[in-house]
Amino acid sequence: MTAVLHVEACGPATSVQDAGRAGFLRYGLSSAGAMDRFALAAANALVGAPAGQAALEIGPLPARFVAKNAPVRLGLFGPARATAAGGRKLGPARGFVLAPDETLELGPARGGLYSYLAVAGGMLGAPAFGSFSVHARAGLGSPIPRPLRAGDALAVAADPGGSDTHLPMPAAETGPIRVILGPQDDYFSAAEIARFLAAEWRVGLASDRMGYRLDGPRIEAARGHNIVSDGIANGAVQIPGGGQPLVLLADRGTTGGYPKIACIASADLGRFAQTPPGAPVRFAAIDVDAAQTLARAHEAAIAALPGKVTGAGGFDAQALLAANLAGRAVSALDGDTWEF
């Protein structure tokens, strides 16, 4: 039987995203896909789905969904937010069943931007150019080729049972976002590169899935701010004529004509994408070998996620220790404070 997930309310930054579409950059179509691939993989692990399977990417505003026709098994992973499924309070890393006519309510995100809601069995629809990911500017995606809004209905696989599941939340990384300098770092003096790396930047309000604008000191290009257009990687840091960095992300254009002072290491892209507007960001330069080591460790962490899933009522030593640390308090009346 087909189930339906009905959208009762959501913010404009909510859409269907998977691991993204590959092989179309030459045609001017960037990958789209989840802004935080680790969080997508974790949500999918909670329902026993492949790491890159399509899920709902839910932006920072509150959202509400209702199951129709049949029960659905869902996995939620992301920043802390008040969550209730059928009236039951849940933590931020939980797999659960939503029965027909039950409502999943999500409050605003705290300390991050994107949560991922995975469905056991996945979304029902035909991929567009090999992916379900919504690319709003290209008008592509499946089953709905645009960001979601109230009144939308998504056909999903029905799943009747099993106990709740849980994933321990990883320790928050607080260090600088790591970047590889270039490919046009030769357009900038050593002093300007040092200024870029030393500054505390703030994510600007004029930021979206295409790119994040950074507020901070002006970065001057010694050889000018125009180059012959070349390819843009996910995480490329362009310096346009105004001197304020622009970090290009999942829905970026495929080429650009401003010099790129650096590119964010792939292992840190999700952490950067979760930075809310107004929050501070610092950068640290690493070499390609170090970035590749980080990338391998990041992929290994994603591959290890299914083995870390436990029953929600099972024993979780990490969560127990965290809950009993001096100075850490939990409330029996507030499920958002519990780790398991």
Side-chain angles (χ1 to χ4, degrees):
M1 178 184 294
T2 299
V4 173
L5 200 59
H6 191 267
V7 182
E8 295 284 303
C10 68
T14 299
S15 62
V16 175
Q17 299 292 338
D18 55 24
R21 54 181 56 84
F24 297 96
L25 291 175
R26 74 190 80 173
Y27 306 115
L29 178 61
S30 54
S31 62
M35 294 283 273
D36 185 344
R37 286 184 56 240
F38 182 90
L40 170 69
N44 277 319
L46 285 161
V47 294
Q53 180 174 284
L56 295 188
E57 181 178 82
I58 301 168
L61 297 181
R64 190 168 65 253
F65 306 92
V66 177
K68 297 289 185 181
N69 298 349
V72 291
R73 172 166 288 281
L74 302 172
L76 178 69
F77 191 93
R81 57 201 311 163
T83 303
R88 298 174 292 134
K89 288 192 173 183
L90 300 174
R94 186 65 62 87
F96 55 94
V97 172
L98 198 65
D101 297 323
E102 282 190 333
T103 299
L104 172 64
E105 296 184 80
L106 304 175
R110 303 192 298 269
L113 289 180
Y114 296 104
S115 296
Y116 292 85
L117 186 66
V119 182
M123 307 281 172
L124 303 183
F129 293 95
S131 171
F132 281 70
S133 288
V134 169
H135 193 307
R137 285 174 172 80
L140 291 175
S142 181
I144 298 176
R146 54 165 172 75
L148 298 177
R149 52 181 179 242
D152 286 338
L154 300 163
V156 299
D159 190 317
S163 60
D164 285 5
T165 54
H166 166 75
L167 262 175
M169 293 295 290
E173 291 188 64
T174 57
I177 299 296
R178 291 159 291 196
V179 299
I180 304 94
L181 293 177
Q184 283 94 33
D185 53 318
D186 58 332
Y187 271 61
F188 303 90
S189 69
E192 291 300 296
I193 291 174
R195 184 197 303 274
F196 169 73
L197 295 173
E200 180 178 87
W201 302 96
R202 300 271 170 176
V203 174
L205 293 176
S207 298
D208 58 19
R209 283 180 48 87
M210 184 176 181
Y212 287 7
R213 294 189 180 276
L214 301 181
D215 296 330
R218 178 185 171 92
I219 303 297
E220 295 284 354
R223 295 172 55 190
H225 289 270
N226 292 299
I227 63 170
V228 175
S229 291
D230 65 358
I232 299 288
N234 198 0
V237 185
Q238 278 189 338
I239 308 294
Q244 300 302 133
L246 175 61
V247 183
L248 297 166
L249 297 169
D251 289 357
R252 68 198 181 278
T254 56
T255 62
Y258 296 121
K260 295 171 286 297
I261 195 170
C263 187
I264 293 176
S266 61
D268 281 356
L269 273 172
R271 181 158 65 100
F272 175 77
Q274 292 284 11
T275 307
V281 175
R282 289 185 178 274
F283 297 105
I286 60 173
D287 61 23
V288 171
D289 287 344
Q292 290 175 341
T293 298
L294 289 172
R296 286 190 288 268
H298 187 67
E299 293 303 318
I302 288 175
L305 284 169
K308 295 183 177 181
V309 175
T310 63
F315 178 72
D316 185 332
Q318 264 191 321
L320 183 62
L321 286 170
N324 283 287
L325 286 173
R328 175 71 178 268
V330 298
S331 168
L333 300 178
D334 185 359
D336 292 336
T337 67
W338 286 88
E339 296 278 345
F340 57 92

